[in-house]
Amino acid sequence: MTTEVGPETEVKKESEQLGADAANEKHEEATESQENQKSEKTLSEEAQSSPSSPALATQSSPSSQKKEKDPSEGKGISRFIPPWLKKQKSYSLVEPKDEAKKKPVEERQAMEERESQLPEEVAEPKGNLEEATIESQQEAKADDKEEEKHSVSSADTQPAKEDSKEIGVEKVADEQEEKQKVEEKRETKEVQTAEIKMEKAPQKAPKKIKTVPCKVMLLDGTEYSCDLEKRAKGQVLFDKVCEQLNLLEKDYFGLLLRDNSDQKNWLDSSKEIKRQIRSLPWIFTFNVKFYPPDPSQLTEDITRYFLCLQLRQDIASGRLPCSFVTHALLGSYALQAELGDYDSEEHNNHYISEFQFAPNQTKEMEDKVVELHKTHRGLTPAQADSHFLENAKRLSMYGVDLHHAKDSEGVDIMLGVCANGLLIYKDRLRINRFAWPKILKISYKRSNFYIKVRPAELEQFESTIGFKLPNHRAAKRLWKVCVEHHTFYRLISPEQPPKAKFLTLGSKFRYSGRTQAQTRQASNLIDRPAPYFERTSSKRVSRSLDGAPVGITDQSLLRDFSAATVGPTGDMVFDDEAVGQTTLKNGEGRDEDGSPTKIQQLKLTQDEKPPVVKTEMVTISDATQRTEISTKEVPIVQTETKTITYESPQFDGSAGGDAGVLLSAQTITSESVSTTTTTHITKTVKGGVSETRIEKRIVITGDADIDHDQALAQAIKEAKEQHPDMSVTRVVVHKETELAEEGEE
Amino acid sequence: MAGLSSGGGSSLGRCSHAVVRALPESLREHALRIEKDKAVDFARAEREHQLYVAVLKSKLGLQVLELPADESLPDCVFVEDVAVVCEETALITRPGAPSRRKEVDAMKRALESLNLNIVEMTDETATLDGGDVLFTGREFFVGLSKRTNQRGAEILADTFKDYAVSTVPVYDSLHLKSFCSMAGPNLIAIGSTEAAQKALKTMQQMSDHRYDKLTVPDDAAANCIYLNIPGKGHVLLHRAPEEYPESAKVFEKLKDHMLIPIANTEMEKVDGLLTCCSVLINKTSEL
């Protein structure tokens, strides 16, 4: 079917993908799209993967989609493939673009990985280096495929979502949680009509290039506008912005979503913007994401300039606290960079007041700034920037990303993520610190964030420390920031997102950009004359005449209030479900993981990679347990059970009351964030006629007012689409409603 | 001027001025002490203190402000506890012992005369003794002890915003610096007792920076004064071999340091160590 629509490259790509482990992929997609129906998460992950029985996997993996037509196999598989999957080929229209863009990047990455054997000055203890060398040989090969798969799957989910919109289930996301079970029993004799769908698909998703106007607030206070394709990924926008800025060392930067929290929500460049942004306007802020610990190692002045602009904002807004003297000193370097040497004629007493150096700027401070400015005579703007950065980088909160939390005793603390690890603050005091090498694993569950720490000297067991975040989203955001910082600063190359495995849970989120080691490598290759750039006056981000702060301060205000809209939607769904875990691999090498990773460890060992796995997924048993726990914990307010029975045309006329012979029985459970689908298939032979019964139990976990009739209709419709030749004999709807969780936004 | 605010360790020990205070006779009877039964030889205490001041003034060439004793303040000689000075900023503390609160007045006047930015600890729930404050040149460690509480440490952190301020629980000793101090730009002198070693571990864990350590057998001897004096280089005032012979041997291994042994037998009976008796200030500008 691919051949019908896609260009040649597409075909190849798809078959590659399918060749590998098609079933897993498909199911992943399936669950992803189901998830999409429920809620659009800003920080959507390709999360919560998916399900498929091993039997299913092996059964289908050798088969390409074409083979599905083959009855003998199709019977088994295709029934479980929801309709949206079958439309894959139509998406291929979107993909070539992605791919074209992606490939060069991958090649570069692969190259860098090979190069990464060179000693890096990244704090990489031996173990890791060795590891990286081995990896580099392997990954260089593996990379392309991996990435492609990735891109395919995320592109594919797209139209599925569109579909669901048509049906109108999409608004489902909201504050309450609903569970809905749809049970279906069916009878059937024959197979699947994949063809029908194939024909439909191309018409259904014609390529419409819809563009969305998009704005990015730049560090100099100006605005960059462009139109983006509606389905563009974050990377597209980020690249555009960097191009506009003439910025090559761009891995230190990122785009922030503008939401109402005081926390930073980063746009994930590997995912579609639309899926992350929800109801927010397409307005972003260009910001430093990873503060280089030693800015003097940046290759280009222009990069340092943007870092300076960011730090000036950080300082003026109070996010980066510093003393009076430091405010004055940094302010004086900023002046020197922008205005050049102090000129007593030109720079009268008032020039200074137009700049903002500190949250609470006093006359005394301004005088001090002027005094210091006079001493910088002769410094070029680039030199002044360097001096600025040399001083700013020593500030204790430089590059520390703070998150509100409570400790196990409910005491308010702050968690600071930085290049070296995780810092714990109570008020302004540092009360603990966990360097990355000390942390074995980070995870989150509901609104809790956990770190598993290496045993201290003389201790035998590692300990797990839990923190309570304000809500689930905050926990997940912290977890992601940790994953990213750890990868960026500690690893030589990013890890691959975990593959979909049998019945796995948890976020697959991984940092997909370049690490600091890689970006430094790349920067070394920059070969262009230092680009000319205009240093925009910080007057633009300075105070207005009446002294009221505008500009920067304004922006942060905007950021604070602009999007009070975000609140309600959200990841409620996750509350009892989502689990994200990452096992940190650090140089010192030991990596103790529980059994869940064992399989993969073994597998990796065969691959001759070091038996260190950073990701951990929850196993089936865990999953079941978890479900039980969650239902126990959940205060059920009302429970309703509806039973609707459909009479089905029975085919058993000839068979009479014969009980039949059971040929096979199979139960497949698949789970995603918002839905759990249990499919039970029994094949029996009754009087020579084989009968297949499929019983599906779909648990929809939602957080909005679900339109039950619609959801039910939707479920039945889907079931019918999946098994057009079967009939629905029984539908049971079981609904449980619970109170909204405390503490959600 | 450049690098004024964040010397990053290299500026540690730079010093132009010192504030000291004479000891009152009331020290003999009324100064606070953990072990009550030790009799202070006041005359000897005075001699030792004069020698200490002479080293700072004559030998090292510092500008020394000598505050007069106040008989109503038996502990007033221990000026370190009432002020924390870092660069151009001085935090006037609120000492943990109520009997010592008035000691700050004279110190405040002295530091004002040096044109430092003065920050006062006005919060009545806060207590902080300078003896609990270890500044490494890169960051602060504040001992949470009987004399210093969380709030006091917070105010210190607010005062010196450029630096990380980490807290270290102190159980068995009077102060954090009862068993440690800086012996060089990147070198922490530390006592050998379990409590001292435990505190060091805490500090090492809290810091992004790796410090070298100099372990001495005696906790009290780990309290020394490191100075970096132009023309003299690394200078270390440490306890005399007659008092702590084993610890003195350890100091004597520091080849790059100009070593100045100082006896402090009498003051130690009232829990006073070397750092306790001076506030060191580096004036870089002529404000």
Side-chain angles (χ1 to χ4, degrees):
Chain A
M1 41 187 116
T2 317
T3 40
E4 289 169 20
V5 196
E8 298 225 338
T9 51
E10 255 347 271
V11 179
K12 199 175 120 215
K13 185 163 109 185
E14 291 231 348
S15 56
E16 256 178 35
Q17 175 206 356
L18 292 166
D21 47 3
N24 275 348
E25 283 288 325
K26 282 178 209 160
H27 276 265
E28 181 193 337
E29 286 155 19
T31 45
E32 268 188 54
S33 22
Q34 275 170 340
E35 178 191 333
N36 283 342
Q37 294 175 1
K38 311 300 321 175
S39 68
E40 305 205 66
K41 292 165 271 107
T42 333
L43 298 170
S44 70
E45 318 222 333
E46 312 125 284
Q48 297 6 87
S49 58
S50 68
S52 62
S53 79
L56 188 58
T58 43
Q59 209 176 355
S60 60
S61 57
S63 70
S64 80
Q65 290 208 351
K66 282 175 196 163
K67 284 188 191 158
E68 271 168 29
K69 292 175 211 160
D70 178 350
S72 62
E73 275 187 67
K75 213 176 201 173
I77 311 157
S78 53
R79 293 210 174 95
F80 307 117
I81 300 172
W84 48 79
L85 274 178
K86 297 185 179 138
K87 288 175 201 145
Q88 266 185 354
K89 57 278 158 181
S90 60
Y91 318 143
S92 50
L93 286 171
V94 191
E95 283 155 19
K97 224 168 117 211
D98 273 323
E99 207 198 10
K101 192 184 69 224
K102 239 172 176 148
K103 275 225 156 132
V105 175
E106 280 150 26
E107 274 160 25
R108 207 183 323 148
Q109 253 178 4
M111 216 176 73
E112 276 153 14
E113 266 158 18
R114 263 174 246 127
E115 286 168 2
S116 64
Q117 302 174 38
L118 302 173
E120 266 301 320
E121 34 161 289
V122 160
E124 282 295 331
K126 286 171 257 157
N128 230 0
L129 261 175
E130 282 163 28
E131 187 173 29
T133 15
I134 300 164
E135 271 175 15
S136 66
Q137 290 156 356
Q138 304 246 339
E139 279 177 9
K141 282 179 268 152
D143 242 2
D144 283 349
K145 276 188 193 169
E146 289 264 324
E147 287 272 331
E148 272 169 15
K149 256 188 250 164
H150 189 63
S151 68
V152 169
S153 65
S154 45
D156 282 348
T157 55
Q158 191 49 48
K161 192 168 162 189
E162 298 250 301
D163 276 0
S164 70
K165 261 186 205 154
E166 284 163 31
I167 308 164
V169 190
E170 161 231 19
K171 63 159 190 184
V172 161
D174 223 311
E175 299 283 33
Q176 285 180 350
E177 196 170 84
E178 296 253 343
K179 288 185 183 172
Q180 194 161 355
K181 296 181 186 177
V182 181
E183 274 189 25
E184 297 168 48
K185 282 188 187 171
R186 287 190 176 184
E187 293 194 324
T188 185
K189 28 177 186 173
E190 257 313 26
V191 197
Q192 212 36 29
T193 56
E195 278 92 333
I196 297 174
K197 254 130 241 154
M198 283 185 250
E199 286 158 40
K200 256 200 252 168
Q203 317 160 348
K204 253 196 166 176
K207 191 185 181 186
K208 311 168 238 176
I209 304 180
K210 279 190 189 164
T211 60
V212 183
C214 175
K215 270 188 201 167
V216 180
M217 308 307 296
L218 302 177
L219 286 165
D220 62 5
T222 60
E223 230 178 71
Y224 166 74
S225 307
C226 64
D227 286 336
L228 279 183
E229 202 183 318
K230 208 175 165 204
R231 289 179 192 160
K233 290 187 177 168
Q235 190 70 43
V236 175
L237 178 59
F238 183 67
D239 288 344
K240 274 178 178 248
V241 174
C242 291
E243 192 182 335
Q244 161 80 16
L245 294 173
N246 203 8
L247 177 65
L248 292 183
E249 293 174 285
K250 55 191 180 187
D251 302 294
Y252 300 96
F253 300 83
L255 292 172
L256 282 172
L257 301 168
R258 290 201 143 200
D259 72 3
N260 59 340
S261 66
D262 59 344
Q263 301 289 339
K264 294 177 172 182
N265 278 313
W266 295 102
L267 183 71
D268 187 331
S269 51
S270 65
K271 302 208 178 66
E272 286 175 25
I273 297 170
K274 195 174 61 148
R275 289 182 59 196
Q276 303 177 58
I277 201 153
R278 287 192 291 192
S279 57
L280 298 172
W282 285 49
I283 302 176
F284 306 89
T285 310
F286 182 79
N287 252 261
V288 173
K289 185 173 187 182
F290 302 112
Y291 289 76
D294 186 359
S296 68
Q297 289 200 26
L298 295 173
T299 299
E300 296 201 297
D301 286 341
I302 191 169
T303 317
R304 271 186 285 273
Y305 168 64
F306 289 123
L307 178 58
C308 280
L309 290 181
Q310 175 72 68
L311 287 164
R312 283 192 216 167
Q313 275 187 26
D314 293 347
I315 291 165
S317 67
R319 278 194 300 273
L320 180 56
C322 49
S323 66
F324 174 90
V325 183
T326 304
H327 274 306
L329 182 68
L330 294 177
S332 68
Y333 284 125
L335 278 191
Q336 181 71 20
E338 272 186 25
L339 305 177
D341 291 348
Y342 177 82
D343 181 333
S344 52
E345 286 174 18
E346 199 181 323
H347 301 149
N348 58 37
N349 290 337
H350 301 295
Y351 82 108
I352 183 97
S353 314
E354 294 171 9
F355 293 84
Q356 192 178 3
F357 307 107
N360 306 304
Q361 190 163 317
T362 58
K363 180 79 177 68
E364 192 192 2
M365 182 180 292
E366 290 174 0
D367 291 346
K368 185 79 179 169
V369 172
V370 175
E371 184 194 316
L372 293 170
H373 181 199
K374 291 175 188 170
T375 69
H376 301 324
R377 186 161 294 279
L379 289 185
T380 65
Q383 286 171 327
D385 279 349
S386 292
H387 281 286
F388 179 96
L389 294 175
E390 280 309 294
N391 284 280
K393 77 172 188 193
R394 294 202 189 102
L395 294 169
S396 80
M397 298 308 282
Y398 173 85
V400 179
D401 187 34
L402 287 176
H403 299 252
H404 290 278
K406 287 184 194 306
D407 67 10
S408 54
E409 282 149 25
V411 178
D412 283 314
I413 54 168
M414 298 287 270
L415 300 181
V417 185
C418 67
N420 295 319
L422 194 60
L423 302 165
I424 320 293
Y425 295 92
K426 182 168 181 300
D427 296 299
R428 285 188 181 282
L429 301 172
R430 190 184 285 184
I431 55 170
N432 215 336
R433 172 180 172 274
F434 301 96
W436 292 127
K438 262 211 101 175
I439 302 177
L440 293 167
K441 192 167 87 181
I442 52 176
S443 56
Y444 70 95
K445 186 170 181 182
R446 289 185 240 173
S447 58
N448 296 312
F449 174 77
Y450 301 98
I451 55 175
K452 191 169 166 192
V453 182
R454 258 179 224 292
E457 273 174 67
L458 308 175
E459 280 175 32
Q460 217 176 344
F461 303 102
E462 61 256 351
S463 49
T464 297
I465 301 162
F467 302 95
K468 179 94 178 153
L469 276 285
N471 52 53
H472 168 72
R473 196 183 305 160
K476 185 168 161 188
R477 179 170 47 218
L478 171 59
W479 176 82
K480 285 176 90 169
V481 166
C482 284
V483 169
E484 293 180 325
H485 274 68
H486 173 260
T487 308
F488 185 81
Y489 291 109
R490 293 285 305 173
L491 300 186
I492 286 177
S493 61
E495 22 174 9
Q496 294 300 315
K499 283 182 204 153
K501 280 183 287 175
F502 171 56
L503 282 187
T504 50
L505 280 173
S507 171
K508 287 195 303 162
F509 172 80
R510 292 296 176 266
Y511 174 64
S512 57
R514 291 198 284 208
T515 64
Q516 179 172 240
Q518 290 173 330
T519 195
R520 281 181 182 169
Q521 288 272 352
S523 302
N524 288 339
L525 303 176
I526 291 179
D527 183 23
R528 66 171 181 184
Y532 171 78
F533 56 95
E534 189 106 25
R535 280 168 205 269
T536 325
S537 167
S538 51
K539 284 176 190 171
R540 191 171 286 139
V541 290
S542 68
R543 297 183 297 176
S544 67
L545 290 174
D546 60 4
V550 293
I552 287 170
T553 337
D554 242 5
Q555 279 180 26
S556 57
L557 285 176
L558 273 176
R559 199 175 302 139
D560 287 347
F561 301 117
S562 61
T565 48
V566 201
T569 41
D571 9 290
M572 290 291 307
V573 200
F574 280 60
D575 262 10
D576 289 311
E577 307 268 357
V579 188
Q581 293 191 324
T582 289
T583 308
L584 300 185
K585 159 170 79 178
N586 272 297
E588 285 145 56
R590 287 194 299 146
D591 193 295
E592 12 249 343
D593 284 331
S595 46
T597 48
K598 266 215 167 122
I599 297 164
Q600 189 167 355
Q601 278 186 345
L602 285 172
K603 195 173 145 246
L604 283 172
T605 318
Q606 279 174 349
D607 289 346
E608 292 176 25
K609 287 188 189 176
V612 184
V613 183
K614 290 196 256 179
T615 45
E616 182 172 342
M617 290 297 183
V618 180
T619 55
I620 316 169
S621 57
D622 285 354
T624 338
Q625 239 178 12
R626 186 192 44 71
T627 318
E628 278 167 18
I629 289 166
S630 71
T631 38
K632 268 180 208 159
E633 286 175 352
V634 162
I636 294 168
V637 178
Q638 345 162 258
T639 309
E640 267 179 59
T641 309
K642 282 186 207 166
T643 308
I644 307 159
T645 312
Y646 291 82
E647 291 299 324
S648 66
Q650 298 290 313
F651 288 86
D652 55 357
S654 62
D658 199 353
V661 182
L662 183 67
L663 284 181
S664 67
Q666 198 178 8
T667 304
I668 298 157
T669 308
S670 66
E671 207 163 350
S672 74
V673 201
S674 49
T675 56
T676 308
T677 309
T678 312
T679 312
H680 188 71
I681 314 159
T682 43
K683 287 186 188 175
T684 49
V685 180
K686 274 183 181 178
V689 179
S690 90
E691 176 189 292
T692 305
R693 277 178 174 268
I694 300 181
E695 191 177 314
K696 274 196 176 184
R697 171 168 303 194
I698 305 166
V699 180
I700 304 170
T701 315
D703 49 8
D705 271 326
I706 296 177
D707 182 337
H708 309 110
D709 295 332
Q710 207 163 41
L712 177 61
Q714 164 77 0
I716 295 172
K717 187 181 168 215
E718 275 171 20
K720 278 182 176 163
E721 275 174 9
Q722 285 170 49
H723 316 284
D725 46 353
M726 297 176 89
S727 53
V728 177
T729 56
R730 190 159 164 257
V731 180
V732 178
V733 181
H734 179 76
K735 191 177 80 178
E736 290 175 9
T737 315
E738 68 164 82
L739 281 171
E741 273 247 50
E742 34 82 71
E744 263 301 324
E745 287 172 342
Chain B
M1 211 48 355
L4 179 77
S5 60
S6 313
S10 58
S11 67
L12 182 76
R14 287 278 160 81
C15 181
S16 61
H17 292 68
V19 180
V20 298
R21 195 165 190 176
L23 54 171
E25 285 189 50
S26 56
L27 176 139
R28 186 173 45 199
E29 298 299 327
H30 301 292
L32 301 170
R33 66 204 81 180
I34 293 173
E35 292 176 51
K36 310 283 182 203
D37 53 347
K38 289 183 180 166
V40 176
D41 177 342
F42 186 74
R44 188 170 175 195
E46 270 192 316
R47 279 201 306 280
E48 285 176 353
H49 188 62
Q50 281 159 9
L51 190 67
Y52 175 92
V53 175
V55 166
L56 296 178
K57 206 193 302 195
S58 315
K59 196 154 191 170
L60 302 176
L62 304 183
Q63 301 275 333
V64 179
L65 274 77
E66 298 184 66
L67 306 180
D70 183 332
E71 287 300 332
S72 68
L73 300 168
D75 289 293
C76 70
V77 65
F78 303 124
V79 288
E80 175 186 53
D81 289 326
V82 298
V84 178
V85 180
C86 181
E87 286 132 21
E88 302 280 318
T89 303
L91 173 65
I92 306 295
T93 69
R94 188 169 178 277
S99 65
R100 301 192 58 189
R101 303 259 159 88
K102 284 204 165 65
E103 291 177 29
V104 300
D105 301 336
M107 178 59 75
K108 190 182 155 204
R109 284 192 297 274
L111 296 176
E112 276 168 350
S113 75
L114 289 171
N115 267 323
L116 294 173
N117 309 313
I118 307 285
V119 178
E120 289 181 82
M121 200 175 271
T122 48
D123 188 329
E124 300 214 335
T125 65
T127 62
L128 181 88
D129 275 14
D132 276 317
V133 179
L134 178 68
F135 179 63
T136 68
R138 297 171 188 272
E139 63 194 308
F140 285 95
F141 292 104
V142 178
L144 297 180
S145 65
K146 290 191 182 73
R147 298 281 180 86
T148 299
N149 64 18
Q150 182 90 12
R151 186 75 194 112
E154 277 168 37
I155 292 172
L156 181 116
D158 272 340
T159 307
F160 303 106
K161 288 199 180 76
D162 294 354
Y163 296 100
V165 178
S166 305
T167 53
V168 184
V170 173
Y171 299 109
D172 300 333
S173 313
L174 179 65
H175 286 140
L176 176 65
K177 281 196 279 189
S178 299
F179 50 76
C180 67
S181 64
M182 295 309 289
N186 193 32
L187 182 62
I188 298 177
I190 185 79
S192 297
T193 59
E194 202 180 312
Q197 292 294 321
K198 197 175 168 203
L200 178 70
K201 283 236 164 59
T202 306
M203 291 192 279
Q204 285 170 333
Q205 189 194 324
M206 299 275 234
S207 178
D208 292 326
H209 185 72
R210 283 185 195 188
Y211 296 100
D212 298 323
K213 63 171 179 177
L214 181 72
T215 307
V216 295
D218 310 288
D219 276 8
N223 181 294
C224 55
I225 297 176
Y226 167 77
L227 292 165
N228 185 349
I229 305 292
K232 295 192 171 60
H234 303 295
V235 177
L236 195 68
L237 280 59
H238 66 89
R239 298 296 290 275
E242 307 83 71
E243 302 175 285
Y244 294 106
E246 294 306 315
S247 295
K249 279 181 199 161
V250 176
F251 286 118
E252 279 154 17
K253 286 179 189 152
L254 294 171
K255 297 295 173 208
D256 297 335
H257 289 56
M258 172 195 221
L259 297 172
I260 305 176
I262 293 186
N264 190 45
T265 55
E266 300 311 304
M267 228 80 99
E268 190 179 333
K269 292 172 183 169
V270 287
D271 309 320
L273 300 173
L274 289 181
T275 60
C276 301
C277 299
S278 59
V279 171
L280 302 173
I281 298 145
N282 191 32
K283 286 295 293 180
T284 52
S285 60
E286 298 302 318
L287 278 174

